[in-house]
Amino acid sequence: MSASDTLTHQQKLDQLQRVADAALKTYDLPAGAKATMINLSENATYRVDGGGGKWALRVHREGYHSKTAIGSELAWLQALRHDGAVTTPVPVKGKNGEIIQTLSLPGLAQRHAVLFDWEAGAEPSEAELLGPFEVLGAATARMHQHARQWRRPQNFERMTWDFDGAFGKVQHWGSWRDGMGLDAEKTKLFQRTVDLMEKRLAAFGKGPERYGLIHCDMRLANLLIDGEETKVIDFDDCGFSWYLYDGATALSFIEHRPDVPELIAAWVKGYRSVLPLSAEDEQEIPTFVMYRRLLLVAWIGSHAETDLAKSMGVPYTRDTVALCEDYLRRYS
């Protein structure tokens, strides 16, 4: 157990604020620039205001990504923007000329931080999603197309979100068995679902046309619409997985909506406007939607202190039951 495990949630927030305040001093920002937390998930994200300007500061979670892995994320993010695939945030160099700042404060674990120029735009509304999902499908395909052609830097390091990374030996987000509100009956049902997914994904394979470097969190919260421009943010989970997993992440937390088939169709239409997608691949999308859903059950269980996990909680696990039953009926 680390020392931070004994702290209250407020004490952890106070520590993070100390790190954020220290990080600001490593950049050439206007005097009096202030960091205000706007999101706490894997990392802590702050809006930085000063001198009429605005930036986004990300303080990385302790022990989640190495400095090399963060640098790899930023390399792809910058290449996507430079090559015109999609608009991505622009990292800001610190006074030392580096875009990753390493903070070592007395009594605290070492942390990495990255500052980005603030990107204007608004997250698409959940009230009308068909248009945004088509735009999202096209943007995702452009990113996949770029990843297939891009020559990655030496020592490129990112997580692998294959079956082992999600549900097997590694479990980056913990075990779905630790999800909120699980009982013996749900556990048995979820295990049957996981077993079926494993079997189908083994048959689906990891050929280069189906598996590669992807964003891994292409949900609407990470999409900004700025007039006619679509921007993609938060590449913190980017890594190696099936390309179709990106499509499933677009449905994060709304997998149970009755219009999901229409949203998938809109995403596929947008995707096919850029890249081909076989009928066989399209038919496997429900497997990846189920994959993401159970991965989020695990995430909620292992991130119970976050506002997002609290807002989902037991009802999210309960509503997963019907999705599992439907998936088993469809594919068993």
Side-chain angles (χ1 to χ4, degrees):
M1 177 183 292
S2 67
S4 63
D5 292 333
T6 63
L7 300 177
T8 66
H9 183 56
Q10 185 57 52
Q11 286 173 326
K12 292 178 181 178
L13 292 179
D14 292 343
Q15 285 193 351
L16 284 168
Q17 188 68 49
R18 281 181 60 198
V19 177
D21 292 343
L24 295 188
K25 297 176 182 178
T26 69
Y27 296 96
D28 188 16
L29 293 170
K34 181 180 178 182
T36 304
M37 182 180 284
I38 55 175
N39 184 53
L40 177 62
S41 183
E42 294 299 340
N43 308 309
T45 305
Y46 297 81
R47 187 189 72 242
V48 178
D49 299 282
K54 188 185 293 186
W55 298 264
L57 176 70
R58 186 175 67 186
V59 175
H60 281 263
R61 173 181 165 188
E62 178 188 350
Y64 190 56
H65 287 308
S66 68
K67 188 174 182 179
T68 299
I70 297 169
S72 298
E73 170 208 346
L74 297 174
W76 188 37
L77 177 149
Q78 292 177 96
L80 283 164
R81 183 173 184 125
H82 177 270
D83 298 340
V86 291
T87 301
T88 59
V90 177
V92 178
K93 290 183 179 180
K95 295 176 182 177
N96 61 0
E98 302 293 328
I99 58 176
I100 303 172
Q101 299 301 311
T102 301
L103 291 309
S104 298
L105 275 66
L108 299 183
Q110 187 180 82
R111 296 271 191 158
H112 299 301
V114 181
L115 186 72
F116 298 92
D117 286 335
W118 189 266
E119 289 292 344
E123 177 185 338
S125 168
E126 288 193 12
E128 176 47 60
L129 291 181
L130 289 180
F133 260 71
E134 187 172 338
V135 170
L136 186 57
T140 304
R142 291 196 300 272
M143 292 168 64
H144 293 174
Q145 187 176 50
H146 182 274
R148 288 170 177 168
Q149 300 169 350
W150 182 50
R151 186 173 180 178
R152 295 193 294 269
Q154 285 189 331
N155 301 318
F156 189 87
E157 175 191 317
R158 293 303 300 171
M159 286 181 172
T160 298
W161 294 95
D162 59 3
F163 190 85
D164 271 346
F167 305 113
K169 300 173 183 176
V170 181
Q171 299 182 354
H172 294 305
W173 283 351
S175 173
W176 60 265
R177 292 175 176 272
D178 297 325
M180 294 185 182
L182 270 174
D183 54 31
E185 187 175 352
K186 292 186 184 69
T187 298
K188 184 177 180 180
L189 176 67
F190 288 10
Q191 185 62 63
R192 287 176 57 209
T193 306
V194 170
D195 291 344
L196 179 57
M197 288 192 303
E198 182 177 21
K199 179 181 177 181
R200 292 192 67 85
L201 290 172
F204 192 69
K206 295 181 180 177
E209 75 286 356
R210 288 177 167 168
Y211 191 97
L213 177 63
I214 65 171
H215 184 282
C216 291
D217 197 19
M218 288 288 284
R219 54 196 176 98
L220 295 176
N222 292 330
L223 193 70
L224 295 177
I225 305 299
D226 185 15
E228 296 298 313
E229 189 174 24
T230 301
K231 304 175 180 180
V232 181
I233 63 174
D234 195 356
F235 283 69
D236 184 57
D237 288 323
C238 76
F240 298 96
S241 189
W242 291 275
Y243 291 118
L244 287 181
Y245 178 63
D246 259 351
T249 66
L251 294 163
S252 296
F253 305 112
I254 60 170
E255 303 93 340
H256 53 280
R257 282 176 47 144
D259 60 347
V260 161
E262 289 78 16
L263 296 177
I264 291 174
W267 185 90
V268 168
K269 180 180 179 182
Y271 195 94
R272 284 182 172 146
S273 70
V274 178
L275 285 176
L277 183 69
S278 71
E280 182 183 6
D281 283 14
E282 183 181 359
Q283 289 168 7
E284 205 61 49
I285 290 177
T287 292
F288 292 98
V289 174
M290 196 72 254
Y291 189 96
R292 175 67 168 186
R293 178 78 180 205
L294 286 174
L295 191 52
L296 288 174
V297 169
W299 186 90
I300 289 170
S302 62
H303 293 71
E305 76 285 356
T306 65
D307 290 338
L308 183 55
K310 290 175 183 176
S311 69
M312 297 291 120
V314 173
Y316 190 77
T317 302
R318 183 190 62 226
D319 292 342
T320 303
V321 170
L323 294 175
C324 288
E325 290 173 342
D326 182 67
Y327 179 73
L328 290 166
R329 278 194 302 270
R330 184 170 182 174
Y331 288 112
S332 291

